[in-house]
């Protein structure tokens, strides 16, 4: 449960194979897309990770409407339930001896409706034949005759082919069996008997998606690729991993991924260790995660949702290997499986591949049904605690009200209606329930976020965090009274029109970002399929939407729903979560006591055995597979990779003072527009205020209409727009690319309205609502505090960047720890100097909203570009030619944080460890081989030492090719100084490296897969914009491509010399840790002269 992982740097988003996410809130969909956008921008455009993160953040408001509650299910049903996106793992199956493969995908018929079922069904029976017009897909539903395995087969012209196998895996306790199995089955299998085939394929696959996800009641194993043979390789490995894993006979894998006692010597401290164990300690360190867990378990005390499928750290050590093995034997069987294919590959071949695995099994009766939770006859209340620090948050509570809405999944039309209701209540800042809570002054930020309908029984949750304990009853009353008022007064037609347009726009756009469309449909289908529902009908929306709109025109659809599901519903649970400054110590003491009690019962000989077992496990973890063993993994050859870099159609022109970029790409009549204004115009002392200014511009209405009217008009006529800052270094230059980014989208016909509203906001937005602004500050502060605690690696990375470059420093002011400190001061200043705050907000607008130095980026087909040119021109003409009060001095090269080794302390049970140095400052000149080397490090040395044997949930490196900053980062790490030592050991690893031809080829091919990965049209236009801003020319991209393809072992050894800079005295450490971990590190390594910064 780490939503802030999704806000990480590009390197983290791209290269954290071990990160699993358990997410309970609707914004998960947005964060997932944000992470995908970050990875997409960086890997394809060579974008500074921090810049990519900030630019991707600018998508958030626009995306919010596109992924409004109902639409979120259209884009991906995997957005609200407890989703555990497990290790992002790549595989390539052995289909015989190693060979080079490169196949063109089989083209689907021009008209999918004409596609006929295969003549040879390979052991399957055709149960149903259908066509889903919304996605132009022919559907065949098959059942395997021998085992009963069910298969949904969708055929269309999408080259991004997808496959997934899903099993219902309801746990009976919180030992985390499903989660640990999800990790473990991917650690070698019958056909691929090596330690980690997924790592080998990460190195050399062209996949567009590799992952595994543990829900509260199911485990999913999805893959995707645009390359046909690569896709079939992935399918083969995943099927072998699921049905024939080595982990059920190898207790060492269980110990590595689950838990074990670790003891390096008889006289040292014994501890619990394990990847999932440490992951879940990180999860349970987040109060938001604790709240979500308590809510789910309180709503479902009598079925499988009443336990934690991810695992409770206090319970995980109770799990035995025998129980682990038996769970696989019970649930990981074809008779309990649901399989999914999507894309332009051949249907008969799909069945042939599946039957080759399934035919050796017999049908088995498996009871994996999810029991229905019976309704409560009266509301309940749960009062519990979370680990708090010593700061202001020590007095902040959470309160959340939760309802169970139905005794099973909704039918299609009801689901759509409830989704609309959810959107109307909470889907935008102008939604009445959301606005009532945000403007109440009773808390800092909303929690719960409404409807969750991915599990067997849908729920609704809403509340606030950052609440004074004495105000908890007021929050509960406000929720109850607001819902009652809405039921009495109903929704305005404007609100309904806004919701309908937002949802329809998103459904028809079907923009899933970098997340494959086929997998989003799979997750959607599963939410009915798993519970004996119709897996096809749930994919349709045109007819149900038309029926619902007809009903809404004749009757009040929503008041009866509100009364039935919220007002008169007795299955209601209120969660009160209060801070406890002593709880962290209590938990640590309890863990130590358990280990001590176990150790006290051991004889000296048994203690020696624990030491020997620890040593043996580490030896196995750190011993690589032999080249002969690795030969089971097939791979593409370098000669199969296109030699020419792909270009994006881009026309650059000058329109007045504006640089205009246009991209003639088919977008189905949607215009994607970005308007950038020069951020250098903002005085540096006002820079930390810019993020709040962006939010305020979108939250207070304008001189022409109220905020509610403005928001509803935007929703009713456009796809939404957003405003955010962006900064990045530019390689080879002291300049910093820094802009204010206004980003929006609409149909071509509504481009005029889109740009009229954009101009109205930029020129006429009000900035003088004190209470609204204060709430925005409190929300931002709460979000930043959560990020420090749950995504500390990104905070550490930002601090390291800020010590190194001007762009990093500015980025730190805009979104790092410096921003959090500024927010704390600003919250107090609002009460003492509100007039001064308003004056500063107006100074920012006067300085930055100007035509001079602006850039406009437009993506659509030529016809739409031509038709919308007038609307774009009118917007540009409305902007002032120059800003007033704009900064005139260039940003000094000395604008950086003092270089120190820093330990940032927060309440946490795990660490986030960063270390970095600037390679350019030590004389390194960029070469494409650096991308290959960086990728390999994340799947060899850092993976093995930081994650596998170190027990961290993630260990990776990130090279910002624009600033030259090379950073090591770890995620949910039980270690601190050991991890730093492992970072330093990278130098010897590279200097001594020995790569055979196959290993080198895989590294190169995998890197090319990153560079050439799949993009939707809007992402292509945005990538071209990033390349323009950061002065990355196609000629340079071609040069880097050739350097990547020509990488040799010698380049690795040379880079080892270059990385001496990361362990030189100039290198810096920054880590987010607990106060106790900081004290221990300072005592053990006084030479590092750590500076301690207490945040919470």
């Amino acid at each position: 449960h780490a939503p802030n992982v999704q806000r990480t740097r590009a390197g983290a988003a791209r290269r954290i194979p071990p990160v699993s996410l358990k997410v309970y809130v609707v914004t998960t969909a947005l964060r997932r897309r944000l992470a995908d956008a970050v990875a997409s921008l960086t890997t394809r455009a060579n974008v500074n990770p921090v810049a990519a993160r900030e630019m991707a953040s600018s998508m958030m408001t626009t995306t919010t409407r596109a992924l409004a509650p109902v639409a979120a299910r259209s884009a991906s049903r995997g957005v609200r339930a407890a989703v555990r996106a497990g290790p992002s793992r790549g595989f390539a199956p052995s289909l015989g001896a190693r060979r080079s493969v490169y196949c063109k995908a089989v083209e689907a018929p021009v008209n999918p409706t004409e596609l006929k079922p295969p003549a040879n069904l390979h052991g399957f029976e055709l149960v149903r034949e259908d066509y889903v017009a919304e996605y132009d897909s022919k559907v065949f539903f098959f059942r395997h005759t021998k085992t009963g395995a069910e298969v949904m087969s969708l055929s269309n012209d999408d080259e991004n082919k997808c496959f997934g196998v899903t099993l219902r895996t309801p746990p009976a306790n919180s030992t985390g069996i499903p989660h640990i199995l999800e990790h473990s089955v991917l650690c070698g299998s019958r056909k691929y008997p090596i330690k980690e085939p997924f790592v080998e394929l990460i190195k050399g696959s062209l996949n567009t998606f590799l992952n595994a996800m543990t829900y509260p009641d199911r485990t999913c194993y999805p893959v995707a690729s645009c390359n046909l043979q690569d896709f079939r390789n992935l399918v083969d490995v995943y099927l072998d991993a699921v049905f024939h894993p080595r982990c059920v006979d190898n207790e060492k894998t269980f110990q590595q991924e689950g838990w074990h006692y670790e003891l390096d010597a008889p006289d040292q401290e014994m501890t619990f260790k394990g990847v999932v164990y440490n992951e879940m300690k990180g999860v349970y360190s987040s109060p938001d995660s604790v709240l979500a867990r308590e809510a789910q378990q309180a709503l479902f005390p009598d079925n499988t949702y009443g336990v934690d499928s991810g695992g409770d750290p206090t319970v995980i050590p109770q799990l035995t290997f025998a129980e682990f093995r038996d769970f696989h034997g019970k649930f990981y069987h074809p008779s309990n499986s649901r399989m999914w294919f999507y894309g332009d590959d051949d249907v008969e071949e799909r069945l042939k591949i599946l039957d080759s695995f399934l035919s050796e099994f017999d049908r088995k009766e498996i009871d994996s049904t999810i029991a229905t939770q019976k309704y409560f006859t009266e509301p309940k209340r749960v009062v519990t605690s979370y680990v708090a620090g010593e700061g202001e948050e020590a007095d902040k509570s959470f309160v959340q009200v939760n309802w169970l809405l139905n005794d099973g999944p909704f039918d299609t039309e009801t689901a759509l209606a409830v989704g609309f209701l959810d959107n109307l209540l909470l889907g935008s800042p102008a939604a009445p329930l959301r606005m009532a809570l945000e403007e109440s002054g009773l808390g800092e930020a909303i929690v719960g976020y409404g409807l969750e309908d991915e599990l067997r029984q849908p729920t609704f949750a809403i509340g606030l965090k950052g609440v004074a304990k004495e105000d908890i009853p007021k929050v509960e009353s406000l929720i109850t009274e607001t819902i009652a008022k809405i039921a009495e007064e109903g929704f305005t037609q404007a609100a309904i029109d806004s919701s309908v347009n937002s949802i329809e726009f998103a459904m028809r756009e079907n923009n899933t970002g970098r997340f494959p469309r086929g997998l989003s449909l799979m997750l959607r289908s599963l939410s009915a399929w798993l519970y004996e529902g119709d897996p096809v009908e749930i994919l349709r929306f045109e007819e149900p939407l038309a029926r619902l709109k007809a009903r809404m025109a004749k009757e009040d659809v929503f008041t009866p729903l509100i009364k039935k599901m919220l007002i008169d519903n007795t299955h209601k649970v209120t969660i009160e979560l209060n801070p406890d400054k002593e709880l962290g110590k209590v938990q640590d003491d309890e863990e130590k006591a358990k280990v001590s009690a176990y150790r006290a019962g051991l004889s000296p000989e048994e203690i020696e055995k624990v030491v020997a077992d620890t040593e043996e496990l580490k030896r196995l973890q750190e011993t690589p597979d032999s080249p002969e063993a690795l030969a089971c993994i097939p791979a593409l050859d370098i000669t199969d990779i296109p030699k020419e870099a792909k270009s994006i159609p881009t026309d650059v022109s000058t329109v007045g003072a504006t640089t205009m970029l246009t991209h003639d790409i088919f977008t189905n009549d949607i215009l994607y527009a970005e308007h950038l204004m020069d951020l250098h115009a903002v005085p540096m002392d006002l820079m930390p205020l810019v993020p709040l200014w962006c939010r305020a511009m979108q939250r207070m209405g304008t001189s022409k209409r109220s905020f509610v009217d403005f928001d509803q008009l935007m929703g009713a006529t456009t796809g939404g727009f957003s405003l955010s800052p962006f900064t990045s270094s530019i390689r080879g230059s002291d300049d910093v690319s820094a802009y204010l980014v206004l980003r929006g989208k609409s149909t071509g016909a509504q481009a005029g309205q889109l740009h009229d509203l954009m101009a109205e906001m930029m020129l006429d937005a009000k900035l003088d609502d004190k209470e609204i602004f204060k709430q925005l500050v409190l929300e931002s502060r709460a979000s930043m505090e959560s990020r420090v605690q749950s995504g500390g690696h990104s905070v550490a990375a930002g601090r390291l960047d800020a010590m190194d470059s001007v762009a990093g420093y500015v980025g730190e002011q805009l979104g790092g720890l410096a921003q959090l400190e500024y927010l704390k001061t600003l919250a107090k200043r609002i009460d003492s100097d509100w007039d001064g705050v308003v004056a500063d907000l107006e100074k920012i607008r006067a300085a930055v909203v100007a035509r001079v130095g602006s850039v406009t980026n437009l993506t659509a087909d030529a016809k739409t570009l031509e038709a919308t040119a007038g609307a774009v021109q009118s917007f540009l003409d409305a902007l002032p030619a120059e800003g007033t009060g704009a900064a005139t001095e260039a940003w000094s090269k000395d604008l950086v944080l003092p270089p120190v080794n820093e330990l940032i302390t927060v309440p946490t049970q795990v660490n986030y460890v960063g270390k970095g140095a600037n390679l350019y400052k030590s004389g390194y000149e960029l070469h494409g081989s650096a991308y290959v080397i960086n990728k390999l490090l994340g799947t060899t040395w850092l993976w093995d030492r930081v994650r596998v044997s170190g027990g961290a949930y993630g260990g990776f490196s990130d090279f910002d090719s624009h600033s030259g900053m090379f950073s090591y980062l770890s995620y949910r790490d039980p270690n601190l100084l050991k991890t730093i030592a492992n970072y330093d050991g990278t130098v010897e690893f590279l200097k001594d490296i020995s790569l055979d031809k196959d290993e080198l080829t895989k590294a190169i091919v995998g890197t090319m897969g990153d560079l050439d990965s799949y993009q939707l049209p809007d992402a292509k236009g945005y990538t071209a914009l990033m390349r323009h801003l950061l002065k990355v020319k196609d000629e340079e991209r071609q040069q880097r491509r050739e350097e990547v393809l020509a990488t040799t072992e010698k380049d690795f050894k040379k880079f080892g010399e270059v990385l001496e800079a990361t362990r030189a005295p100039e290198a810096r450490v920054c880590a987010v840790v607990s106060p106790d971990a900081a004290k221990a590190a300072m005592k053990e390594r006084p030479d590092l002269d750590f500076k301690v910064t207490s945040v919470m």
Side-chain angles (χ1 to χ4, degrees):
H1 184 324
N4 285 296
V5 173
Q6 303 293 355
R7 298 196 200 101
T8 188
R9 316 177 78 202
R14 186 173 71 253
R15 301 188 189 97
I16 304 188
V19 168
S20 290
L21 310 175
K22 185 170 185 179
V23 189
Y24 291 87
V25 295
V26 63
T27 48
T28 303
L30 311 183
R31 287 164 179 154
R32 176 191 295 141
R33 289 180 60 178
L34 174 58
D36 293 336
V38 169
S40 172
L41 288 171
T42 308
T43 55
R44 288 189 291 277
N46 290 339
V47 176
N48 173 342
V50 175
R53 183 178 69 243
E54 291 163 356
M55 288 300 277
S57 296
S58 73
M59 303 176 189
M60 291 294 282
T61 298
T62 303
T63 305
T64 299
R65 289 192 174 278
L67 285 180
V70 172
R73 294 188 291 282
S74 174
S76 168
R77 292 293 290 229
V79 298
R80 295 192 182 92
V83 177
R84 184 165 312 287
S88 181
R89 293 166 166 175
F91 300 81
S94 172
L95 303 179
R98 172 180 288 279
R99 64 192 186 286
S100 168
V101 289
Y102 187 77
C103 299
K104 181 179 175 63
V106 177
E107 294 185 359
V110 175
N111 184 357
T113 60
E114 299 176 359
L115 186 65
K116 303 298 181 184
N120 186 345
L121 296 183
H122 295 279
F124 285 86
E125 59 175 323
L126 177 61
V127 177
R128 179 175 179 180
E129 181 177 344
D130 215 323
Y131 172 72
V132 179
E134 286 83 345
Y135 305 104
D136 193 24
S137 295
K138 184 68 179 223
V139 180
F140 296 117
F141 186 86
F142 299 104
R143 183 177 292 114
H144 193 244
T145 305
K146 189 178 181 187
T147 64
E150 297 178 346
V151 180
M152 276 277 284
S153 173
L154 276 70
S155 296
N156 48 51
D157 63 358
D158 193 342
E159 66 172 333
N160 199 4
K161 291 163 280 292
C162 304
F163 167 78
V165 55
T166 299
L167 308 113
R168 286 199 303 213
T169 52
N173 54 48
S174 295
T175 55
I177 301 182
H179 186 193
I180 298 170
L181 257 177
E182 174 226 300
H183 283 233
S184 302
V185 300
L186 300 175
C187 292
S189 62
R190 185 173 68 182
K191 291 175 69 175
Y192 309 102
I194 57 176
K195 288 199 307 179
E196 293 176 306
F198 55 90
V199 175
E200 297 309 311
L201 202 59
I202 288 173
K203 297 175 186 176
S205 170
L206 298 178
N207 72 84
T208 57
F209 190 89
L210 284 171
N211 222 317
M213 299 174 288
T214 301
Y215 287 68
D217 59 5
R218 78 199 78 154
T219 310
C220 304
Y221 295 90
V223 300
S225 179
C226 293
N227 179 278
L228 179 60
Q229 188 59 54
D230 188 51
F231 174 65
R232 289 177 176 165
N233 289 347
L234 300 177
V235 172
D236 194 83
V237 173
Y238 262 51
L239 286 169
D240 201 56
V242 167
F243 296 121
H244 304 293
R246 294 202 305 167
C247 67
V248 294
D249 298 314
N250 182 3
E251 190 170 358
K252 295 298 183 184
T253 300
F254 166 75
Q255 294 171 350
Q256 171 183 293
E257 299 298 323
W259 77 277
H260 64 276
Y261 292 104
E262 181 160 294
L263 182 62
D264 291 325
D267 60 345
Q268 293 189 12
E269 182 183 12
M270 183 183 290
T271 60
F272 289 129
K273 187 69 73 70
V275 173
V276 168
Y277 178 78
N278 286 316
E279 175 202 353
M280 297 311 296
K281 286 183 73 174
V283 168
Y284 278 58
S285 294
S286 164
D288 295 85
S289 304
V290 174
L291 178 68
R293 182 193 74 234
E294 292 290 346
Q296 179 178 300
Q297 294 181 0
L299 279 172
F300 297 98
D302 304 319
N303 70 3
T304 192
Y305 303 149
V307 300
D308 191 339
S309 63
D312 181 334
T314 64
V315 181
I316 289 174
Q318 298 174 15
L319 179 63
T320 67
F321 179 62
E323 293 169 330
F324 169 83
R325 183 175 53 212
D326 291 346
F327 193 90
H328 181 276
K330 179 177 181 179
F331 294 115
Y332 278 61
H333 188 279
S335 299
N336 189 42
S337 68
R338 289 159 176 82
M339 303 189 194
W340 172 275
F341 274 101
Y342 167 99
D344 63 1
D345 55 313
D346 182 65
V347 176
E348 182 178 346
E349 188 64 25
R350 294 173 175 177
L351 301 180
K352 182 179 179 181
I353 291 170
L354 291 179
D355 186 59
S356 69
F357 282 92
L358 304 182
S359 60
E360 65 179 280
F361 292 90
D362 294 316
R363 188 184 294 262
K364 179 180 178 181
E365 292 300 321
I366 299 171
D367 182 10
S368 63
T369 55
I370 311 303
T372 299
Q373 172 64 50
K374 294 182 179 179
Y375 275 104
F376 299 160
T377 56
E378 59 183 20
K380 296 185 178 183
R381 184 179 195 85
V382 174
V383 179
T384 187
S385 303
Y386 71 91
V387 177
E390 298 294 333
E392 296 178 16
E393 79 284 351
D395 297 322
K396 298 174 184 176
S397 294
F398 292 64
V399 58
Q400 180 172 297
V401 184
N402 312 267
W403 292 266
L404 183 67
L405 301 184
N406 205 37
D407 58 4
F410 293 127
D411 62 73
T412 304
E413 193 168 329
T414 302
L416 198 59
V418 175
F420 268 94
L421 175 60
D422 182 40
N423 182 264
L424 286 163
L425 290 171
L426 295 166
S428 80
L433 181 55
R434 176 173 169 182
M435 192 159 67
L437 286 167
E438 289 183 338
E439 296 185 2
S440 68
L442 295 174
E444 294 182 350
I446 285 181
V447 292
Y449 289 98
L451 178 67
E452 185 284 293
D453 62 351
E454 238 181 350
L455 302 181
R456 183 174 189 88
Q457 293 172 269
T459 62
F460 189 92
I462 188 64
L464 283 174
K465 67 178 177 179
V467 179
K469 187 171 177 58
E470 62 270 18
D471 287 337
I472 289 176
K474 297 178 184 177
V475 175
E476 295 178 64
S477 297
L478 178 62
I479 292 171
T480 301
E481 292 166 4
T482 302
I483 291 173
K485 182 180 179 181
I486 293 169
E488 180 180 349
E489 298 178 356
F491 298 103
T492 65
Q493 191 59 47
I496 293 172
D497 291 343
S498 176
S499 182
V500 169
N501 180 73
S502 297
I503 290 169
E504 281 196 85
F505 187 98
M507 285 178 166
R508 297 199 167 96
E509 183 191 20
N510 193 26
N511 189 336
T512 58
R514 205 176 171 207
F515 192 77
R517 285 171 166 166
L519 294 185
S520 71
L521 291 179
M522 181 189 83
L523 296 176
R524 185 179 181 189
S525 179
L526 283 167
S527 64
W529 192 6
L530 282 166
Y531 311 117
E532 292 71 49
D534 191 321
V536 179
E537 288 306 310
I538 197 169
L539 301 179
R540 308 187 198 277
F541 61 81
E542 292 288 4
E543 290 185 11
L545 182 59
R547 290 195 300 269
L548 180 60
K549 289 168 70 175
R551 282 184 59 204
M552 288 191 293
K554 296 184 298 183
E555 62 182 273
D556 180 357
V557 172
F558 302 112
T559 297
L561 288 176
I562 294 173
K563 289 182 176 179
K564 176 184 177 183
M565 297 184 178
L566 301 179
I567 295 176
D568 299 331
N569 187 350
T570 57
H571 198 115
K572 174 183 174 182
V573 177
T574 300
I575 306 295
E576 179 182 330
L577 191 64
N578 296 312
D580 185 341
K581 291 186 287 186
E582 302 301 322
L583 183 59
K585 183 178 185 304
V586 170
Q587 292 175 344
D588 289 343
D589 290 346
E590 287 178 351
E591 178 182 328
K592 291 177 181 178
K594 288 179 182 178
V595 176
S596 296
Y598 171 76
R599 180 170 184 159
L602 299 179
S603 66
E605 293 76 18
E606 289 171 325
I607 289 177
E608 288 292 347
K609 185 178 186 306
V610 175
V611 173
D613 289 344
T614 299
E615 182 179 350
E616 173 64 10
L617 179 58
K618 289 186 176 182
R619 184 189 65 78
L620 292 172
Q621 291 169 332
E622 296 174 5
T623 302
D625 292 302
S626 68
E628 293 76 17
L630 293 173
C632 68
I633 305 293
L636 296 175
D637 190 78
I638 293 176
T639 58
D640 296 318
I641 301 296
K643 301 298 185 292
E644 300 297 321
K646 297 178 182 178
S647 61
I648 297 170
T650 303
D651 180 70
V652 182
S653 61
T654 301
V655 180
T658 302
T659 300
M660 179 80 71
L661 281 70
T662 57
H663 314 286
D664 181 3
I665 302 172
F666 177 72
T667 59
N668 201 22
D669 191 40
I670 294 176
L671 174 70
Y672 297 97
E674 290 87 33
H675 301 288
L676 285 69
M677 286 155 267
D678 191 359
L679 198 60
H680 291 85
V682 177
M684 187 55 68
D685 66 310
L686 295 180
M687 197 63 67
L689 187 56
V690 168
L692 269 299
W693 175 81
C694 290
R695 295 195 65 190
M697 289 282 284
Q698 303 168 79
R699 189 62 179 81
M700 298 183 190
T702 70
S703 61
K704 297 179 180 179
R705 47 189 127 230
S706 70
F707 162 67
V708 172
D709 290 343
F710 185 91
D711 188 80
Q712 290 177 349
L713 181 59
M714 177 174 67
T717 57
T718 77
F721 51 86
S722 65
L723 187 65
S724 64
F726 151 76
T727 62
S728 173
S729 297
I730 301 174
R731 191 175 64 83
S733 171
D734 291 334
D735 292 340
V736 174
S737 183
Y739 290 92
L740 180 72
V741 182
L742 176 61
R743 189 165 200 226
K745 58 187 174 183
S746 72
T747 61
Q750 292 287 4
Q753 182 72 75
L754 171 71
H755 283 87
D756 286 347
L757 288 173
M758 283 181 166
E760 182 178 333
M761 181 184 74
M762 297 305 293
L763 301 174
D764 298 318
K766 294 181 179 180
L767 295 169
D768 59 356
D769 191 318
K770 179 179 178 180
E771 295 307 315
I772 292 295
F773 188 78
K774 186 170 185 178
Q775 184 60 36
L776 295 177
V777 172
L778 294 177
E779 287 177 7
S780 297
R781 186 177 72 179
S783 176
M784 279 297 305
E785 288 173 344
S786 178
R787 179 182 164 214
V788 174
Q789 201 166 20
S790 299
H793 58 300
S794 64
V795 174
R799 296 293 277 188
L800 291 172
D801 289 342
M803 297 177 201
D804 176 70
S805 69
V806 177
Y809 176 86
V810 176
E812 174 72 6
Q813 306 307 307
L814 293 170
L817 194 61
Q819 170 71 186
L820 176 57
E821 296 306 315
Y822 178 82
L823 290 170
K824 291 179 179 178
T825 302
L826 182 60
K828 298 175 182 176
R829 184 186 171 204
I830 292 170
D831 293 324
S832 63
D833 183 27
W834 173 239
D835 290 343
V837 173
V838 174
D840 285 348
L841 293 170
E842 290 292 358
K843 286 179 185 177
I844 293 174
R845 171 158 52 190
V848 75
V849 179
R851 186 82 180 267
V852 62
S854 64
V855 178
T856 287
N857 188 63
L858 305 171
T859 305
D861 59 78
K863 182 180 179 181
T864 302
L865 288 171
E866 182 179 358
T868 59
V872 173
Q873 186 64 56
S874 295
F875 169 80
L876 295 175
D877 290 343
L879 298 177
E882 295 184 355
T884 57
T888 56
E889 294 184 5
W891 291 348
S892 169
K893 291 187 291 184
D894 298 327
L895 200 62
V896 294
L897 290 181
V900 297
N901 293 322
E902 186 175 28
L903 298 178
I904 301 166
T905 60
V906 298
T908 181
Q909 298 183 63
V910 290
N911 305 314
Y912 303 86
V913 185
K915 187 177 186 183
N918 192 302
L919 304 187
Y920 293 164
K921 291 179 181 179
S922 63
Y924 176 69
E925 293 186 6
L926 180 62
H927 189 273
S929 60
Y931 303 136
V932 183
I933 297 164
N934 190 47
K935 184 175 181 69
L936 189 80
L937 283 177
T939 54
T940 52
W941 175 258
L942 295 175
W943 174 278
D944 291 337
R945 298 297 171 133
V946 178
R947 181 192 187 277
V948 176
S949 62
Y953 200 37
F956 44 94
S957 58
D958 178 55
F959 180 43
D960 179 351
S961 62
H962 299 282
S963 70
M965 190 68 179
F966 188 95
S967 305
Y968 299 105
L969 297 165
S970 71
Y971 178 77
R972 290 181 180 167
D973 191 345
N975 305 307
L976 173 52
L977 298 179
K978 286 182 180 179
T979 296
I980 295 171
N982 282 323
Y983 293 161
D984 291 345
T986 306
V987 172
E988 274 72 35
F989 170 75
L990 288 177
K991 288 181 180 180
D992 299 338
I993 200 167
S994 177
L995 293 171
D996 61 25
K997 180 181 177 181
D998 290 338
E999 188 78 358
L1000 181 59
T1001 297
K1002 281 190 293 186
I1004 293 172
V1005 170
T1007 302
M1008 295 307 300
D1010 290 341
L1011 296 176
D1012 293 341
S1013 54
Y1014 184 76
Q1015 285 183 296
L1016 294 176
D1018 63 319
K1020 291 179 181 178
Y1022 208 72
T1023 294
L1025 169 66
M1026 298 304 299
R1027 291 172 181 166
H1028 172 82
L1029 296 179
L1030 302 180
K1031 301 179 181 180
V1032 178
K1033 305 294 185 182
D1034 283 347
E1035 295 79 9
E1036 181 187 344
R1037 292 179 53 244
Q1038 182 61 39
Q1039 177 187 343
R1040 301 297 169 223
R1041 186 181 191 87
E1042 292 170 1
E1043 291 169 351
V1044 167
L1045 291 170
T1047 299
T1048 66
E1049 182 184 284
K1050 186 181 295 185
D1051 293 315
F1052 282 77
K1053 294 180 179 293
K1054 287 182 179 178
F1055 202 73
E1057 298 288 347
V1058 173
L1059 287 187
E1060 287 283 5
T1062 64
R1063 61 181 187 183
E1066 294 76 21
R1068 288 292 172 255
V1069 172
C1070 184
V1072 176
V1073 302
S1074 69
D1076 287 345
K1079 291 177 184 177
M1082 293 172 70
K1083 181 178 180 180
E1084 187 173 344
R1085 289 293 303 274
D1087 57 300
L1088 290 176
D1089 193 23
F1090 284 117
K1091 172 192 173 185
V1092 176
T1093 303
S1094 178
V1095 177
M1096 301 169 65

